[in-house]
Amino acid sequence: MQEFCLQREFDRALYAPQPDVEQLLALSQRIAAETYQRSQCSHVWLTTQIRNRLLAWQPDMPLKQEVFEAVVSKILLTAKAGIQIQLTNQQIL
């Protein structure tokens, strides 16, 4: 039921006169998370969904805090000055 309500909210936001991209991304992430929880599929699927949404983000668009918090749980620094992103499903990009 929650997934259905989120989908209706997403549809309304998508067809608004001026769609809010950040809201659409946050809603799509929540829908993906609900679908994942309902289907009990692997973390790989949800990680791929989150990764695809992050890759679709335009480089010059600021990422709002609520969208960031919906998909990222931690930013990890590696020994070789690299960065890893731990997602809300505990998977690491």
Side-chain angles (χ1 to χ4, degrees):
M1 187 65 176
Q2 176 69 16
E3 185 180 345
F4 177 74
C5 293
L6 288 171
Q7 186 63 50
R8 287 183 55 195
E9 186 178 348
F10 179 86
D11 291 342
R12 280 193 298 268
L14 180 63
Y15 294 109
Q18 293 184 338
D20 182 349
V21 175
E22 293 90 4
Q23 180 187 17
L24 289 169
L25 286 171
L27 285 168
S28 65
Q29 173 54 39
R30 289 176 56 198
I31 291 167
E34 288 291 327
T35 302
Y36 167 76
Q37 289 176 352
R38 185 175 47 79
S39 67
Q40 298 180 3
C41 62
S42 72
H43 283 291
V44 173
W45 181 84
L46 183 57
T47 302
T48 301
Q49 296 298 313
I50 294 170
R51 185 174 185 277
N52 289 341
R53 283 167 178 75
L54 291 175
L55 289 173
W57 199 265
Q58 298 297 318
D60 58 341
M61 288 181 63
L63 186 63
K64 290 192 174 183
Q65 182 175 345
E66 57 268 14
V67 176
F68 181 82
E69 289 173 353
V71 296
V72 176
S73 78
K74 293 180 186 176
I75 301 292
L76 308 166
L77 301 177
T78 64
K80 296 184 179 184
I83 295 176
Q84 294 179 325
I85 298 173
Q86 182 175 338
L87 304 175
T88 53
N89 69 343
Q90 305 308 311
Q91 298 296 299
I92 296 177
L93 296 180

